Amino acid sequence: MDNEHLIQLMKSIDFSCKKHRDQRRKDSHGTPYINHPIGVAYNLIKAGVYDSDILQAAILHDTIEDTQTTKEEIIKEFGERVASFVMDVTDDKSLSKQERKRHQIEHALHIQNESKLVKMADKLFNLRDIQTNAPPSWSVDVIQGYFVWAKAVINNLRGQNQWLESQLDEIFNSTFTFKGSQYPTIPCTPEKEPEILENYYKILVGKD
């Protein structure tokens, strides 16, 4: 990475830090939110992804969805290509949580390959986090529903990076710890996953 690209990457980190400065993760530690986008970019680097625009998009991927940042602001500061990746992985907050979850599975098929890398690295960070530090307000059914939903999203992103896929598949064949007990991340056979997914959507009704 040359000096110009390094400057842009550091600029994106500075920008994201400021945008997320008052936000915390939902985990039991109340982790600073900025840890998440930095971790997503780190996952990409470990996967062998060094494209500066993709890494910037990873750092910025939640700014439009979760802060007052606009697409136009991202274009002005980081360019059309970075903004297009960010938009690909941004949920429409005008939809209900249940609708957003359903849409994300279908939408994953149609986003750019570079955006698929960001989405996979994002899911990898979140799933690893939930394995050991799930939000205390969640239940086992919600956690397992989230894992089944995430697997459905990932299945529509495959074919981009073997390392990311192998790390994610390891999680889907593993366990998570919640309130002192261990549970399988995916609690059923593939044939039963749609049933678990529908139950997960029902739990989400009325939640934002």
Side-chain angles (χ1 to χ4, degrees), residues 9-23 33-38 56-63 67 69 74 78:
L9 181 60
M10 295 307 297
K11 178 183 175 181
S12 71
I13 295 171
D14 179 68
F15 182 94
S16 190
C17 283
K18 290 172 180 174
K19 292 291 185 175
H20 292 297
R21 64 181 176 270
D22 297 323
Q23 296 176 328
Y33 196 88
I34 191 61
N35 290 20
H36 170 61
I38 291 173
Q56 288 175 65
I59 294 293
L60 300 165
H61 78 274
D62 277 335
T63 54
T67 77
T69 307
I74 299 294
F78 304 101

Side-chain angles (χ1 to χ4, degrees), residues 61-168:
H61 78 274
D62 277 335
T63 54
I64 294 176
E65 183 175 324
D66 292 334
T67 77
Q68 297 301 310
T69 307
T70 64
K71 175 184 177 182
E72 290 70 28
E73 194 174 357
I74 299 294
I75 291 172
K76 178 183 176 182
E77 298 294 335
F78 304 101
E80 292 273 2
R81 186 168 184 253
V82 172
S84 72
F85 301 155
V86 174
M87 291 305 299
D88 271 350
V89 299
T90 297
D91 280 352
D92 182 354
K93 284 293 190 76
S94 70
L95 301 176
S96 69
K97 192 165 189 176
Q98 181 191 53
E99 291 171 322
R100 293 198 303 271
K101 296 293 186 186
R102 290 183 184 275
H103 181 260
Q104 200 174 132
I105 295 173
E106 174 62 25
H107 184 59
L109 285 168
H110 308 294
I111 61 178
Q112 301 165 87
N113 289 341
E114 296 90 340
S115 306
K116 289 181 178 181
L117 291 170
V118 175
K119 178 65 75 175
M120 292 176 75
D122 178 30
K123 287 287 180 282
L124 179 58
F125 184 98
N126 284 334
L127 294 177
R128 280 180 171 165
D129 205 23
I130 291 169
Q131 274 189 293
T132 58
N133 195 22
S137 63
W138 288 16
S139 65
V140 171
D141 284 346
V142 168
I143 296 170
Q144 289 178 323
Y146 186 95
F147 278 109
V148 170
W149 166 77
K151 183 181 177 184
V153 176
I154 293 301
N155 285 342
N156 287 344
L157 298 170
R158 292 183 183 274
Q160 307 306 315
N161 186 282
Q162 186 57 48
W163 185 85
L164 288 171
E165 286 192 29
S166 66
Q167 296 298 302
L168 287 157

